[in-house]
Amino acid sequence: MSRRDLKGAEPRPTAGIVAPSRREVRPEIQALRALAVLAVVGNHFWPGLVHGGFIGVDIFFVISGFLITGHLIRESTRSGRIRLGAFWARRARRLLPASLLVLLASLVITAVALPVSSWQNVMRHVGAAALYVENWALAADATDYFASAASPSPVTHYWSLSAEEQFYIVWPLIIIGAIVLAARLAARRERVVAIVLGVVVAASFAFSIWWTAADPLAAYFITPTRAWEFGVGGLLALVPAAVVPSARARTVLAWAAWVVLVGCVLIYRDTLPFPGWVAALPVVATAAVIWSGTSGTRFAPDRLVSLRPVQWVGDISYSLYLWHWPLVILLLAVIPQAGTVYKLALLVVALVLSAVTKRFVEDPFRAAPWLQGGVRTLVASVATMALVVGAAGGVWLSVQQRFESVTAQLEQELDSGAACFGAAATAADADCADPHLLTFPDSVLVNAVNTRNVVPNGDTCQQDRDIDAILECTFGAPEDRATTRVALVGDSHAGHWSSALGAVAAERGWRVDMIAKSSCAFNASDGLSAVFYPAGAESCRAWNDAVLQRIVADPEISIVFTSSISREYTVDGGAPADTHEAQAAGYRETWAALAEAGKTVVVLADLPQMGVGDIPECVAKARSTVDPCTADAATALTTDPLLAAAEGQEGVLPLDLTGHFCDAELCHSVIGGFVAYGDANHMSSFFARSIAPFLASAVRDLP
């Protein structure tokens, strides 16, 4: 999030281009900072109470646009130029010291409190935060199917600082370009700057509305969808100081704006299309507070916003924003069900740390004589950023070495055919002392990020949930020696069988065409969509129609394997369990079309619903050699619409291999010495390969 020069370059009545150049603290801006940071902190500490606290980011963005634009315009008016190097150096001295300090502290928190399975992801985000591109890293994760369940990192909140730093780089260039254009046109400078900034605001706002509807998860983070918020503040800075409402009007406007902001904090929900048009209300309200200034009338909010505690929180708002989220992550790691008392204690810790950081880091570095120079600041900035990136990279590499080591060990165990390795430990005749003892602790690193969608020949083959075009990969026996053509079709829960099916195919002389799509079961009936991604329903239906036609029309394909996370799917927006029957009817209709075309359909039952979140992370957190993340079998193995649909249908072979995950009482996450899952619900590729002999046995009668 962002806080700017906490004491500052703001003219008191309003920030106009002809406003006085006197530098002073504006209490209403400090109060806005206080509200913004408390809203964000409140949302993270008590999300069920402070629902809309995320608008604190938008408040900060408007303040930044207002202050920075006003500063740049005043400098241009005063000296006839804008010194970019000096401006960027001031920003670096203001923001980097505290930011990098908290990043280093986050490295320590990660090492002490977070499971090793999350370290690489956290290190990637620490590096992105240090380079101020965290918002783009999170946007990439938001569109990454296998990253969607990743646990939060202690530096997630750096996304807004990244957006702000990008604003600091680009915004002065836009203003300089507008000033140059005004000079060439012999036009009034302020008018041309206002027009250019107005165009930027309009374009960004339109893009924000469009992209928030098209890709809401990524749209939340990226800079182009947020630029208009900075721009609104920038346009406000161009309003002449003479254009000020009466004191009475400013009083009414200020109270109305504060009520709107507090109302948004309490009423807004994260289900709103944000930061599209919905963000306009808190953005305009923030601008209204700044424009109103302090009217000095009897009933104005001046006295309230000037209270010493309010001003103090505004003063430490930048450090408070930096510290609060890593502390939340630390608390949840140590006490997952922390109550109000713990959270209040943590808030006190955050306030103390913020005050200390403000006093001994922010202020000294901003005024340090040895940093008063663009070159010195640049060298110091690059060096400290490199230190953080290097530390994060070193941790990432150490984890990678552990991953490569355990991968080699698991490969060796697979090649040796060890009787108690993986699914082999669950065989009826297996003589294993404890099939659920974690003998390969670092198997928690073999997660979905390492093995995502990779079929046995090394290709990556799973279509994005928003794209309906067919994406195909082939593996198994070489084409010139293949005796049978097979298709593996469905969502990622069909795809995670590719390693097992690849081993069977190589042995049986099968050539496999894999056709998979995220969040989309192979069910060609109308109305089926993933309840966790209803926006993909139309794409899923189009993909299903195309895939069904493709397979039916291919006379060489004789066997179709399919599976899905069927218990989680819904029909026409109902709750999954309420629509299982309709879903099963859709499966039967689809499979009947395949059977009529002469195909045999093999239906693989879905895996147990473990309900423990990310399973490798659960095991890593437990730091135990005994399987710590089990689930009650009766709860984990509820009715599976796939199996229900397959029962008794001609041309359909149902296969239920969940017995290798569950016994009569429990379903297990550690099976045959290592973690069987790569995330919350997908098999790891090693476990899939270990279950291949059992799959081969189940389909031995197929050609």
Side-chain angles (χ1 to χ4, degrees), residues 654-675:
L655 294 184
D656 186 356
L657 299 179
T658 56
H660 296 284
F661 294 84
C662 308
D663 52 38
E665 297 180 356
L666 296 175
C667 293
H668 299 272
S669 57
V670 175
I671 305 171
F674 65 99
V675 183

Side-chain angles (χ1 to χ4, degrees), residues 203-228:
S204 172
F205 185 58
F207 177 77
S208 182
I209 294 173
W210 172 64
W211 200 243
T212 298
D215 191 354
L217 295 177
Y220 188 84
F221 299 109
I222 62 175
T223 312
T225 62
R226 298 284 186 167
W228 67 275

Side-chain angles (χ1 to χ4, degrees), residues 520-564:
C520 182
F522 183 40
N523 187 317
S525 65
D526 289 338
L528 185 70
S529 64
V531 68
F532 45 84
Y533 193 66
E538 183 177 344
S539 172
C540 181
R541 285 193 290 271
W543 180 86
N544 265 306
D545 290 342
V547 172
L548 182 60
Q549 293 177 29
R550 150 83 176 82
I551 296 176
V552 167
D554 190 337
E556 294 187 6
I557 294 178
S558 59
I559 306 172
V560 179
F561 284 80
T562 188
S563 188
S564 70

Side-chain angles (χ1 to χ4, degrees), residues 572-611:
D572 294 332
D578 297 336
T579 62
H580 280 177
E581 186 176 340
Q583 186 185 155
Y587 287 128
R588 284 191 287 268
E589 178 185 334
T590 304
W591 301 338
L594 295 173
E596 187 177 340
K599 324 291 184 184
T600 298
V601 181
V602 180
V603 179
L604 296 159
D606 193 26
L607 304 189
Q609 292 179 305
M610 298 298 289

